[in-house]
Amino acid sequence: MRSVRIGVDTGGTFTDVVAVDDQTGEIVTTKTPSTPANPADGFVKGIEKLGPLDASSVVHGTTVATNQLLEDRIANLGFITTEGFEFILEIARQSVPDGYGNSYFWVKPPRIVPIHLVKTVGGRLDHTGGEVRPFTEEQAAEVARWFRAKGVTAIGVCFLHSYANPDHERRMRDVLAREHPEAIVSLSSDVLREYREYERSVTTLVDAAVKPTMRRYLANLSARLGMPFSVMKSNGGVLSAREVVNQPITTVLSGPAAGALGAALIASTAGHPSVITLDGGGTSTDVSVVIEGEPSITTEGVIGRYPCKIPMIDIVTVGAGGGSIAWISPEGTLKVGPKSAGADPGPLCYGRGGTEVTVTDAHVFLGRIPPHLLGGEIPLDVAAARTGIQALADKLGLSAERTATGILEISAFNQSNAIRQLTVKRGLDVRDFPLVTFGGSGPLLACRLIDILGLPAVVVPPDPGNVSAFGLLTVDVKNDYVRTHVTRDLSPATAGEIFRELEGEAAQALDREGFDEPVYARSADLRYYGQAYEVRVAAPAGEVDEEWRREVLDRFHQAHEKLYGYGYRDDERHGVEWVNLRVSGIGPITRPAIRRREPHAGERPAAATRSVHFDSAADTPIHQRSDLDPGTVVEGPAVIEEYGSTIPIHPGFTAQVDDYGNVEVRRG
């Protein structure tokens, strides 16, 4: 029996599985429909499809926490904060989505915790962590008993300035443990030890909200799997399931983060260190930017309507997947997404009771994907797709072909807008980056994205539908730690002391994971004095002295200039303010090797043909990707098919297979 490492990524439509043989490096992939009612069913079924294996490790990318937030399933959640600050969630920030032009129409959404479930406790710290008023233990006990009487079992605690001194929060946790032992508690000083009370409060409450669901799910999965496993985190690292249940908010972008890392490794191996990645699934499309092999990290992420300031790979998600529904607006115009048919009932062509036209139906109708998925495991009802497209076309007064093409065009522009948003925000020119596209639906619009964005090329990895699952096996164990220290004159001695404390915390966590030689990555958040937000830059390892300090300041000036087009390096009127110091503790793993492909022996089978509509319907060559040797060039119009995905090559485009089996699509 082979010894393998297994990665399992649960998506909205399919659960993807990748196994890497520890001895030979052989990679085996498979897929199975996701089971939204109980994601563990799809997880276990996917592993069973691989056959009898001896798994040395299993890594899981999960959407359980993400879906709970996106679907706004927040209930039975309480909030404890400092006396006099009970309206911190109501006040929030003055910013209005989409700018002040939207302020006449925007209605502030309900708070994550309604005001009647917010309680306060006496006691006060200043911004240095010094005690202004002592913690009121009697009031804390009353609050704990009140929540117990109300049956509220998930509670977030965020006291003013607890990032500087967590003592009052820890005492509140002790009181809750004594007076309300059933409560599941999250402390802001554990979840996010940095300043900005509103964001820290919401991040802590999100953690508390998803804890019960994640604990049940991971306990169920652990019992069925019968072995320890790890879970992908949003920051680009993994952590054992037994540890991640204590801070489940770190998993909110679990699957998309794995996809970005897997694509980064594949692209770097093929000679593309800086790329844009696009993960097209059945429900949504996730876009990220990779610079010199490393996906960009942010702490300004938002999941649904909730700001989450934990470190996460900078990903923009749009509702533009294969299951995105085409609909007609009240004004009579055609729209696509963000609502999705998902895995159940799925598109019309799935024949499972779906009633609305989707992007997949448009591809099926135009012949751009085969009349079956997963190598024949899921037959598609082409007639149902045709009937649905025709009915929609009749309402629009268009031909069925033009309607289907329009659906795909709108979907392509939705994806391109997400790419522009991420690149322009970082001061990057999209035309400088190849696009690595993967996921089951990711490669389907490759040619249109080249034209819309002016991309130099689109790279489609082998088994694109399983890149996220593959990415799970490329990821180090990683924990992030932060300390707010706001000053315009940072003492190297103080900075060194803070870094030693953070690295000590990281070492303890990694020791529990079995790593006795961890790696530490430092960074710092800085801003010009008077600015409201910071720029993060990497900080050197080693001795923290004046030279170290000058190096970090130099990196800040460079990064600010690149992001915003200006800086104040030589202007004494604009001092630099240090805000946060950060450490990532990393336990390195051995990554799977991506091997060069060998040409097939013998003659390549001739391509089949099928009627495919690009500019017009015509018999078009249909190539099986497994038959294409390195160096093979396919000229459009053509379609390249494989087990989990399809690449339509439009007229005027060419596709070439590189040494690693990637298909590079270019115009002309």
Side-chain angles (χ1 to χ4, degrees):
M1 188 178 293
R2 292 180 300 166
S3 175
V4 299
R5 291 189 293 138
I6 299 175
V8 183
D9 177 51
T10 301
T13 305
F14 288 104
T15 294
D16 306 324
V17 185
V18 170
V20 176
D21 191 299
D22 288 334
Q23 279 74 44
T24 67
E26 180 188 0
I27 297 174
V28 180
T29 66
T30 191
K31 298 168 77 76
T32 189
S34 292
T35 50
N38 184 358
D41 293 340
F43 181 104
V44 174
K45 184 178 179 182
I47 290 180
E48 289 173 347
K49 285 185 70 176
L50 292 173
L53 297 170
D54 177 19
S56 60
S57 67
V58 177
V59 186
H60 183 26
T62 174
T63 57
V64 169
T66 317
N67 291 344
Q68 183 178 349
L69 298 175
L70 293 176
E71 295 166 18
D72 239 350
R73 291 185 280 110
I74 306 293
N76 201 31
L77 178 63
F79 181 38
I80 301 174
T81 190
T82 302
E83 191 173 49
F85 287 80
E86 60 266 36
F87 295 108
I88 189 169
L89 299 179
E90 303 298 325
I91 296 169
R93 296 293 179 194
Q94 68 175 4
S95 58
V96 174
D98 300 322
Y100 284 99
N102 190 35
S103 57
Y104 291 104
F105 311 101
W106 183 68
V107 177
K108 184 184 287 188
R111 304 296 87 186
I112 187 171
V113 176
I115 192 63
H116 69 275
L117 292 179
V118 177
K119 288 293 178 182
T120 63
V121 173
R124 184 72 178 267
L125 303 170
D126 65 19
H127 71 283
T128 67
E131 190 172 78
V132 178
R133 290 198 299 273
F135 179 71
T136 311
E137 187 122 357
E138 300 78 10
Q139 193 177 0
E142 289 177 13
V143 166
R145 289 192 290 268
W146 186 88
F147 278 119
R148 185 183 65 192
K150 291 288 184 182
V152 175
T153 54
I155 299 172
V157 180
C158 182
F159 290 152
L160 196 67
H161 300 308
S162 58
Y163 59 85
N165 181 355
D167 179 63
H168 286 190
E169 287 192 352
R170 290 173 181 171
R171 291 175 65 184
M172 185 71 234
R173 178 176 59 194
D174 293 342
V175 172
L176 285 164
R178 184 179 70 242
E179 302 288 344
H180 188 8
E182 297 83 17
I184 296 174
V185 180
S186 292
L187 303 185
S188 75
S189 53
D190 290 339
V191 175
L192 183 70
R193 198 168 169 181
E194 64 179 90
Y195 89 141
R196 291 199 174 97
E197 308 307 315
Y198 171 66
E199 287 83 0
R200 185 154 50 90
S201 297
V202 174
T203 304
T204 302
L205 288 165
V206 167
D207 186 70
V210 301
K211 252 180 186 169
T213 305
M214 282 294 289
R215 284 186 174 179
R216 286 193 299 269
Y217 172 66
L218 293 177
N220 175 26
L221 196 53
S222 183
R224 295 179 64 173
L225 195 58
M227 64 173 292
F229 64 98
S230 300
V231 179
M232 180 75 199
K233 297 169 63 179
S234 310
N235 67 351
V238 296
L239 197 62
S240 64
R242 67 177 182 276
E243 292 280 341
V244 88
V245 293
N246 298 318
Q247 208 172 107
I249 191 176
T250 59
T251 69
V252 291
L253 281 180
S254 182
L261 287 158
L265 178 60
I266 291 167
S268 296
T269 303
H272 306 291
S274 297
V275 295
I276 299 165
T277 72
L278 185 148
D279 182 359
T283 306
S284 61
T285 293
D286 305 306
V287 177
S288 68
V289 176
V290 175
I291 305 293
E292 296 300 323
E294 295 292 334
S296 301
I297 301 288
T298 183
T299 54
E300 304 296 328
V302 177
I303 308 298
R305 59 186 180 90
Y306 305 112
C308 297
K309 280 186 67 66
I310 58 165
M312 58 179 71
I313 290 178
D314 197 359
I315 292 172
V316 171
T317 299
V318 291
S324 295
I325 292 170
W327 53 285
I328 299 175
S329 73
E331 297 79 25
T333 57
L334 179 63
K335 305 279 188 179
V336 179
K339 186 179 177 183
S340 173
D344 187 16
L348 291 172
C349 59
Y350 277 22
R352 295 180 185 164
T355 58
E356 297 176 284
V357 173
T358 68
V359 171
T360 297
D361 294 313
H363 282 295
V364 169
F365 172 77
L366 295 173
R368 298 186 189 178
I369 61 177
H372 54 75
L373 298 178
L374 305 189
E377 291 181 30
I378 301 178
L380 300 180
D381 188 341
V382 179
R386 182 181 298 112
T387 301
I389 296 270
Q390 188 61 62
L392 185 64
D394 291 342
K395 294 177 184 177
L396 291 166
L398 300 172
S399 69
E401 289 78 10
R402 192 171 179 190
T403 299
T405 303
I407 291 170
L408 301 186
E409 192 74 359
I410 293 168
S411 186
F413 270 90
N414 288 341
Q415 292 183 356
S416 65
N417 288 338
I419 293 171
R420 284 196 181 105
Q421 179 184 339
L422 197 61
T423 50
V424 171
K425 183 176 77 172
R426 295 194 163 275
L428 304 173
D429 189 336
V430 66
R431 296 169 296 184
D432 295 336
F433 294 83
L435 177 70
V436 180
T437 183
F438 54 96
S441 69
L444 290 168
L445 297 171
C447 294
R448 288 301 300 132
L449 291 174
I450 288 175
D451 276 349
I452 293 168
L453 295 168
L455 298 167
V458 169
V459 179
V460 185
D463 299 309
N466 295 77
V467 168
S468 290
F470 171 77
L472 294 168
L473 303 178
T474 71
V475 179
D476 298 320
V477 173
K478 184 178 179 184
N479 278 317
D480 297 303
Y481 302 87
V482 59
R483 190 71 48 82
T484 292
H485 184 74
V486 181
T487 179
R488 278 184 281 171
D489 186 21
L490 180 68
S491 158
T494 302
E497 182 180 349
I498 292 172
F499 278 128
R500 281 191 294 274
E501 290 179 11
L502 297 177
E503 288 169 1
E505 293 179 41
Q508 291 177 17
L510 288 169
D511 184 62
R512 293 194 297 270
E513 296 288 299
F515 292 92
D516 53 9
E517 294 185 5
V519 176
Y520 303 116
R522 298 171 177 173
S523 59
D525 300 346
L526 301 92
R527 64 191 179 194
Y528 290 116
Y529 181 67
Q531 289 182 328
Y533 291 93
E534 302 82 47
V535 174
R536 178 171 310 161
V537 295
E543 182 78 18
V544 179
D545 52 19
E546 280 298 328
E547 184 178 348
W548 178 93
R549 187 174 178 276
R550 285 192 296 272
E551 175 64 23
V552 176
L553 289 171
D554 182 65
R555 293 180 184 186
F556 164 70
H557 291 303
Q558 289 182 38
H560 196 282
E561 179 84 36
K562 184 175 181 180
L563 273 172
Y564 302 113
Y566 70 95
Y568 297 116
R569 180 189 298 273
D570 301 315
D571 191 337
E572 295 181 358
R573 296 172 301 173
H574 297 278
V576 175
E577 191 167 50
W578 301 73
V579 179
N580 298 310
L581 300 178
R582 301 177 183 272
V583 165
S584 294
I586 301 167
I589 64 149
T590 301
R591 289 172 173 77
I594 299 175
R595 296 180 295 184
R596 293 178 181 271
R597 299 295 177 100
E598 296 296 329
H600 294 87
E603 194 171 334
R604 194 179 82 192
T609 59
R610 181 175 69 236
S611 177
V612 180
H613 189 285
F614 288 112
D615 299 327
S616 59
D619 284 344
T620 302
I622 309 297
H623 301 270
Q624 296 306 308
R625 186 166 181 175
S626 58
D627 296 334
L628 303 181
D629 289 335
T632 301
V633 176
V634 175
E635 296 187 0
V639 176
I640 300 174
E641 296 179 354
E642 59 184 305
Y643 173 77
S645 192
T646 303
I647 314 171
I649 310 299
H650 290 228
F653 289 81
T654 60
Q656 183 168 357
V657 182
D658 71 12
D659 290 346
Y660 298 93
N662 303 298
V663 173
E664 294 192 9
V665 183
R666 301 177 187 272
R667 172 162 275 288

